[in-house]
Amino acid sequence: MSDWLKQVPSDYAGDVSLEADVCVVGSGAGGAVLASELAEAGFKVVLLEKGAHHTRRDFNQQESAMMPKLFEDGGARTTRDGGMMVLHARTVGGSTAVNWAICFDPPARVLDEWAEKHGIERIRLDDLAPHLKRVRHVLNVQPLPETQVNRNGRLLLEGAQKLGMQGGIFEHSRTACVGSGFCILGCAYDRKQSMLVTYVPRAQAFGARLVPSAEVTGFEEDGHQVSAALGTVTNQETGKQYALRVEAKLFCVAGGAISTPQLLLKAGVRDPSGRLGENLTLHPTTAAIAVFDEPVRGYEGIHFSTYVSDLESEGIIIESVFAYPGLMAAAGRLWGARGAAVMAQYEHLAAAIVLLHDDGRGRVGLGASGEPVIDYWVNETDQAKFKRGLATLAKIYFAAGAREVVVPYAGGLTLKGPGEVGRLDAMRIEPNRFAAFSAHQMGTAAMGADIHRSVTDSYGRLHSYRNLFVCDGSLMPSSIGVNPQITIAALADRTAHHLITHAERYLR
Amino acid sequence: MPNRSFLDAAQMSRRRFLVHAMGWGAAGLAASLPLAACQGAASRAARAVPATLHVFSPAEWRTLDAVAGRLLPAGPERPGGGNGLVANAADALLASAPMSLRRELKQLLQVFEWAPPLNGRWGAFSGLRTADQQAVLEAWEQSPLGLGRRGFAGLMKLSAMLYYMDARAWPAIGYPGPWIGRFDLGYGLDNQGDMAEPVNPNVFARIPA
């Protein structure tokens, strides 16, 4: 017997030169779907991925080993001022390989805004519905069975219910999940239906060639079209790099809203709008930790299972999520005797995040060595949302029976009861005083009808090119407000079918 | 409080200052490193600098060891972050880090070592009494200057991650650790066995219209 998923080694010994109909750069929620759909339609597809092809056997469930392997900068990427951690993946499957498998359909009101304010064609929920249906089928999206909601998830719902608030259980992309809880370190049992175990092998089955450890750094242009992608491949054993060149009829960049503008800016592509890298949204997120008398053991089972939606119309979602010890202590600013005392109660801790549909915007630029430089901090509107979300979360936890609620704020901010929630108003939401992070990046190559206000057209084509597309979260003109993987996948399916329908225009 | 001119004089780069050092990746090699005797209070004797250091000078190692020891104090049932637990791991990790990052972290440690007078504490950080070290760290955490808070946050996150990623910190908090090595789900205790086919039948199937 051999394993169903064949690992593609990064054992390069010389330069790599390939020809294809379509060259896709990035194998995450956008790139993998696009590659699979085009390969299934009969096109010759090359799928390039900057990260290595780590598979089930590589995922040892240890933070110390997996974070450096699977995340950009080992998971330590931040905004320029260090104020926000910006988590995104560098591995085959992209961020879907290291997320919690949450599937939230896009809110209709956001899609309507994209149609009305930005003139994007065929983007309303009715238009996206068939594409959502297709990707939901392949990813096996289903509501999480109630039996798989762990105590951490239940406490959030119990508290919300006591306050008369609305909540629910997430839909997930999982099959026969064993509930080990190590999703963000790569699923060691192939149960999380990430791109790594769905659309990437599906694309390969239809003939697409996966090339891991392949970093594109520029393009050859011929008039208004791109003729080749240029870069390097890296032998993961020796660290040696070799030249990469891929000639194709069509190129699609799908590296995510940080790496995509990084590549396009480095490549010096023409952008009449001047908006490439601008309009960055991050779904800024913070967390609170609650201490209960009862054992919670939030590390058991699926860590990310329930949400409270009462504040969604205000652009705030509260989601239960637990963290491994290293992440919990670092993100929670749990240091000194106070921090040790909190961590000593690890089995009695519950945790949840406050995620914002951001009002503010940032940008991605290039550093001196071509690295992405991210400028972003939450504006006053979003600062108020953080306070409102944290206050609501604290009330929920106290209603559920929490003894204390710990907020990740300089100096330590521990609330001893609902009467102390007002103390949150005095927080100064400043970089490195208040802990914030992002796991969702969007908007840096936004779609739109106006060539002077948008980087790409309604289907992700850069306005100045016939055959250069973007296919990831960069396309979103505003943050989607919910976990975005299913929206990105559906948009990729939509782009793929647009390309197939108009192949004579784009693939000649 | 540290002032801007002092920090500028130390030539700390605002660009990507401790971006890497503050992160999870910093713990990459921590788990494989030996743990020095780490029960009870830190002492000068226990804080012996390793014979071989990859990145830090002995002085920088002592500073980080002192910082980590204060950030993650030892308790009756848990090791502290000092006594080499964090500093050795950081030194090993930084060995494969870009030179610019090494330089930035070394500069930061030098600032931490010599900045206590700016907080009204006379002497080098690693030589201060416990209460004074605590006060200096609190002052950095609450600094009105963004760069000061950033420096503290970088060292705090680096130390906390390296410490709690280490299995030796888990018994005291009740964290049982990974399933691999504890449970066999049909692929061996090491999880290296084969899986004949995907559990999701839709992966290779035709998508219904």
Side-chain angles (χ1 to χ4, degrees):
Chain A
M1 192 168 75
S2 62
D3 206 77
W4 75 278
L5 189 63
K6 306 298 179 209
Q7 190 170 45
V8 179
S10 300
D11 55 355
Y12 305 104
D15 294 348
V16 173
S17 183
L18 301 168
E19 289 183 20
D21 293 322
V22 182
C23 174
V24 180
V25 183
S27 63
V33 172
L34 186 81
S36 176
E37 291 298 317
L38 293 177
E40 187 173 357
F43 295 103
K44 185 177 179 184
V45 176
V46 167
L47 177 57
L48 307 176
E49 168 55 51
K50 187 162 54 171
H53 194 198
H54 300 294
T55 58
R56 178 175 62 82
R57 290 184 173 110
D58 299 316
F59 301 146
N60 72 0
Q61 304 178 336
Q62 298 266 4
E63 279 179 286
S64 55
M66 301 321 301
M67 296 298 288
K69 277 187 178 177
L70 302 180
F71 287 82
E72 287 282 6
D73 291 343
R77 183 162 282 177
T78 70
T79 49
R80 188 201 304 250
D81 62 11
M84 282 185 72
M85 295 185 295
V86 181
L87 290 164
H88 64 114
R90 182 192 178 103
T91 188
V92 170
S95 292
T96 69
V98 295
N99 70 10
W100 292 107
I102 308 292
C103 294
F104 242 127
D105 281 353
R109 62 181 166 77
V110 177
L111 298 179
D112 288 345
E113 181 193 306
W114 292 0
E116 290 156 17
K117 190 173 170 185
H118 302 279
I120 299 172
E121 300 169 14
R122 302 185 58 76
I123 197 68
R124 295 182 194 269
L125 193 53
D126 284 349
D127 302 313
L128 273 191
H131 304 289
L132 285 163
K133 184 180 175 188
R134 290 171 58 81
V135 297
R136 289 172 64 94
H137 176 78
V138 174
L139 299 176
N140 194 33
V141 176
Q142 295 178 15
L144 191 68
E146 204 165 335
T147 53
Q148 289 196 300
V149 176
N150 71 3
R151 189 69 188 129
N152 187 55
R154 289 181 190 283
L155 282 168
L156 184 74
L157 291 185
E158 286 175 13
Q161 194 172 27
K162 286 180 180 172
L163 296 177
M165 303 179 81
Q166 302 296 312
I169 298 171
F170 287 117
E171 290 192 304
H172 282 225
S173 52
R174 301 175 191 272
T175 303
C177 179
V178 297
S180 71
F182 291 94
C183 312
I184 67 164
L185 302 181
C187 180
Y189 310 107
D190 285 355
R191 307 305 166 96
K192 182 177 75 171
Q193 298 306 296
S194 66
M195 295 298 153
L196 174 65
V197 297
T198 56
Y199 274 102
V200 171
R202 185 179 175 89
Q204 292 174 286
F206 286 117
R209 176 167 178 179
L210 172 65
V211 184
S213 306
E215 181 165 11
V216 175
T217 53
F219 297 107
E220 279 182 6
E221 295 185 25
D222 178 12
H224 288 282
Q225 62 183 14
V226 171
S227 53
L230 307 173
T232 57
V233 291
T234 302
N235 182 309
Q236 292 295 324
E237 282 291 315
T238 65
K240 284 188 178 175
Q241 291 191 325
Y242 302 94
L244 168 71
R245 176 187 170 84
V246 182
E247 293 184 16
K249 296 173 184 171
L250 186 141
F251 296 81
C252 187
V253 181
I258 306 297
S259 296
T260 285
Q262 178 195 11
L263 165 56
L264 295 175
L265 288 167
K266 275 167 81 171
V269 299
R270 292 186 299 280
D271 168 34
S273 73
R275 301 283 295 159
L276 178 61
E278 304 292 328
N279 191 51
L280 173 69
T281 53
L282 290 177
H283 278 173
T285 301
T286 191
I289 299 165
V291 185
F292 285 84
D293 288 328
E294 65 167 294
V296 179
R297 298 193 184 94
Y299 50 79
E300 291 181 345
I302 295 169
H303 289 194
F304 209 142
S305 56
T306 59
Y307 64 94
V308 172
S309 56
D310 277 59
L311 306 181
E312 189 183 351
S313 62
E314 300 174 45
I316 303 166
I317 289 194
I318 297 171
E319 302 178 337
S320 67
V321 61
F322 205 72
Y324 314 114
L327 185 56
M328 178 77 82
R333 303 185 73 111
L334 298 176
W335 69 276
R338 183 189 68 88
V342 175
M343 286 300 288
Q345 303 171 87
Y346 189 68
E347 290 184 280
H348 293 258
L349 302 182
I353 59 170
V354 173
L355 183 150
L356 305 185
H357 174 45
D358 30 355
D359 176 73
R361 296 290 188 274
R363 67 185 296 272
V364 176
L366 288 181
S369 304
E371 77 278 12
V373 176
I374 306 166
D375 289 299
Y376 187 101
W377 185 244
V378 286
N379 66 15
E380 286 188 10
T381 300
D382 291 332
Q383 290 175 24
K385 288 185 202 169
F386 264 149
K387 291 182 180 179
R388 171 125 167 90
L390 280 172
T392 304
L393 175 56
K395 289 175 186 170
I396 289 171
Y397 273 144
F398 285 124
R403 186 165 16 104
E404 295 178 350
V405 173
V406 180
V407 176
Y409 188 66
L413 179 51
T414 300
L415 308 176
K416 300 286 189 183
E420 294 191 7
V421 168
R423 292 173 59 200
L424 296 170
D425 290 337
M427 288 192 302
R428 283 184 284 166
I429 311 289
E430 296 174 338
N432 294 306
R433 190 184 297 284
F434 177 85
F437 61 94
S438 163
H440 308 151
Q441 298 91 40
M442 295 152 282
T444 49
M447 296 179 286
D450 186 344
I451 192 169
H452 299 296
R453 292 176 54 222
S454 59
V455 178
T456 71
D457 71 10
S458 291
Y459 297 93
R461 182 182 61 83
L462 272 79
H463 288 301
S464 292
Y465 294 84
R466 182 185 62 78
N467 67 341
L468 180 58
F469 282 72
V470 169
C471 186
D472 57 31
S474 309
L475 296 175
M476 298 181 182
S478 67
S479 67
I480 193 74
V482 295
N483 306 59
Q485 73 162 342
I486 203 81
T487 304
I488 295 169
L491 287 173
D493 190 81
R494 168 180 170 271
T495 295
H497 288 272
H498 177 75
L499 291 172
I500 293 165
T501 303
H502 301 285
E504 78 292 345
R505 187 190 308 167
Y506 301 120
L507 279 149
R508 57 184 161 87
Chain B
M1 295 293 170
N3 61 50
R4 189 174 298 276
S5 62
F6 178 86
L7 295 171
D8 288 344
Q11 296 181 328
M12 287 199 297
S13 167
R14 290 167 187 274
R15 182 182 63 81
R16 302 179 71 200
F17 178 79
L18 275 186
V19 159
H20 301 267
M22 68 186 289
W24 327 142
L29 300 176
S32 63
L33 294 172
L35 175 66
C38 49
Q39 297 289 335
S43 70
R44 279 285 178 189
R47 216 177 266 171
V49 181
T52 303
L53 288 171
H54 303 288
V55 175
F56 299 131
S57 69
E60 290 158 355
W61 187 96
R62 281 193 200 93
T63 303
L64 180 55
D65 198 55
V67 169
R70 196 52 39 228
L71 289 168
L72 298 146
E77 295 180 352
R78 66 170 186 273
N83 297 320
L85 195 155
V86 168
N88 287 347
D91 185 68
L93 175 81
L94 269 288
S96 58
M99 187 59 73
S100 58
L101 170 62
R102 297 188 200 184
R103 191 167 52 242
E104 288 169 357
L105 183 56
K106 288 158 75 74
Q107 287 172 348
L108 175 64
L109 290 170
Q110 289 162 24
V111 171
F112 256 84
E113 181 70 353
W114 298 110
L118 296 170
N119 303 115
R121 264 72 181 179
W122 298 103
F125 183 88
S126 58
L128 293 177
R129 293 177 308 164
T130 298
D132 288 332
Q133 287 181 339
Q134 180 79 16
V136 169
L137 289 173
E138 288 172 359
W140 278 84
E141 185 184 30
Q142 301 278 10
S143 171
L145 296 177
L147 203 54
R149 294 196 306 275
R150 184 176 185 176
F152 171 84
L155 285 181
M156 182 272 292
K157 291 177 181 174
L158 170 70
S159 299
M161 286 299 293
L162 286 169
Y163 178 80
Y164 283 109
M165 282 178 168
D166 193 307
R168 290 163 293 191
W170 298 345
I173 63 173
Y175 176 59
W179 281 28
I180 292 172
R182 290 197 294 142
F183 304 119
D184 181 354
L185 300 190
Y187 317 108
L189 264 182
D190 61 0
N191 202 44
Q192 296 300 300
D194 288 332
M195 186 180 284
E197 54 189 28
V199 293
N200 175 1
N202 302 338
V203 171
F204 297 122
R206 187 173 166 276
I207 301 174

